[in-house]
Amino acid sequence: MRLPNLNALRMFDAAARRLNFGRAAEELHLTQGAVAQQVRRLEADLGHKLFHRHARGLTLTDTGRSYHAPVQQALALIGDATDKLAPAVQRVTLSVPPSFASKWLVPRLPEFEAAHPDIDLRVVAEESLTNFKRDGIDIAIRQGSKPQDSGLNSALLSLVDLVAVARPDSTLAREETLELADLAQHTLIQDGHRHWDLLLRQEGLTAVGRVLQFNQTALAMDAAVNGQGIALVPRIFLGSQPLEVLWQAPRLEDQGFHVLWPSAKSRAKAVVDWLLSQ
């Protein structure tokens, strides 16, 4: 049997890790149809079915599962060998929550590129949990309690220091001392973490005004910039945002932004060190 096409194997590997032709296509910057067609051609060449197709994704057949392990290992060996031939630029894939990406990371990327021209930093904005082996992620930043996975390296980037913010021309911005009860009289804007609900419940208060709900912190901040109400956001997201801090929320125990990485590869560690220096 002739050796399979290398591109077809790459597409099979991506589909086997993602268990979805659409997400595999996004990773490879191809169309979903192109990936599905190459996988079908590979199955025809091998004479074996590699996937069970379902309405909402894929599962590997027994043959596909046993075939994927050595294929993934072989592609990794080829990638490592190629990297050694051309070590000038090394890719690192960083997974971060979308709001963290837009409000904290992206403004700092020019500084990173200037400091590390030898690293091609690929940013993936996603909220979901990361499987480092399956998803091809080198480093992840997640918000929450301290990670308990002993198989991962982790470091605290920043505690979640929540502040209530509004436009500088808001009438509340002129008040010297504000309490939570004062803020509850006005329109509140909260994200998917629902911190306003938690704080009000802890103090036995209810919102008198409207509560606008967004699924991402960045959208809540944009709504506050547009004068739609008071948002409760991590202080580190403010940067140069045109927002005025009205009130400092009590600290949420050990909640923080944590950097996670499984590998001791020097290029990943260089990115981690830069993140922590920020």
Side-chain angles (χ1 to χ4, degrees):
M1 181 184 291
R2 64 185 177 85
L3 289 174
N5 179 277
L6 182 60
N7 279 333
L9 291 177
R10 289 178 61 242
M11 295 181 200
F12 163 63
D13 170 59
R17 286 186 285 103
R18 299 288 188 172
L19 294 178
N20 184 286
F21 285 140
R23 288 197 286 270
E26 290 176 7
E27 176 183 321
L28 298 170
H29 305 290
L30 297 170
T31 65
Q32 180 174 335
V35 174
Q37 182 180 18
Q38 284 285 1
V39 171
R40 283 196 299 270
R41 186 173 299 169
L42 176 63
E43 289 177 318
D45 288 345
L46 296 174
H48 290 278
K49 188 175 181 179
L50 302 173
F51 292 104
H52 296 298
R53 275 79 168 170
H54 307 290
R56 294 189 177 182
L58 308 166
T59 56
L60 286 161
T61 64
D62 290 341
T63 300
R65 191 175 298 105
S66 62
Y67 189 55
H68 179 239
V71 166
Q72 186 176 32
Q73 185 178 14
L75 290 172
L77 287 171
I78 293 171
D80 289 343
T82 305
D83 287 346
K84 290 176 182 176
L85 290 176
V89 176
Q90 299 286 336
R91 169 174 283 186
V92 174
T93 301
L94 170 62
S95 170
V96 296
S99 295
F100 188 95
S102 64
K103 298 303 183 184
W104 190 90
L105 180 62
V106 170
R108 290 170 167 79
L109 287 181
E111 180 183 336
F112 175 82
E113 292 166 0
H116 296 280
D118 58 327
I119 297 178
D120 175 17
L121 185 62
R122 176 174 176 259
V123 178
V124 179
E126 57 187 359
E127 297 275 7
S128 59
L129 295 175
T130 294
N131 184 315
F132 288 93
K133 291 182 180 179
R134 185 190 67 205
D135 299 339
I137 300 297
D138 297 300
I139 307 166
I141 295 175
R142 290 293 181 267
Q143 179 177 346
S145 302
K146 181 179 180 180
Q148 301 300 316
D149 190 336
S150 60
L152 291 175
N153 302 300
S154 69
L156 178 65
L157 180 68
S158 170
L159 291 171
V160 177
D161 184 20
L162 294 174
V163 289
V165 294
R167 280 169 52 132
D169 59 2
S170 163
T171 56
L172 286 174
R174 293 191 287 271
E175 299 288 336
E176 290 189 5
T177 304
L178 289 168
E179 301 293 340
L180 183 57
D182 301 319
L183 302 177
Q185 306 296 315
H186 300 268
T187 300
L188 303 178
I189 308 169
Q190 71 176 347
D191 58 22
H193 297 287
R194 306 186 75 92
H195 290 311
W196 276 128
D197 287 349
L198 174 63
L199 289 170
L200 290 170
R201 188 166 58 250
Q202 287 177 343
E203 296 299 319
L205 299 171
T206 56
V208 177
R210 295 177 60 203
V211 178
L212 303 182
Q213 184 71 51
F214 294 90
N215 69 326
Q216 293 184 9
T217 309
L219 298 177
M221 293 178 67
D222 291 344
V225 169
N226 288 329
Q228 293 174 252
I230 307 167
L232 190 62
V233 303
R235 186 183 289 273
I236 66 167
F237 284 5
L238 295 182
S240 59
Q241 296 287 313
L243 290 167
E244 183 86 11
V245 175
L246 307 178
W247 178 73
Q248 169 76 52
R251 180 148 287 160
L252 297 173
E253 299 178 353
D254 65 341
Q255 294 291 301
F257 292 97
H258 299 271
V259 186
L260 312 170
W261 71 102
S263 170
K265 290 181 180 177
S266 59
R267 64 180 188 271
K269 190 59 169 61
V271 176
V272 170
D273 290 344
W274 176 82
L275 287 168
L276 297 178
S277 75
Q278 298 297 307

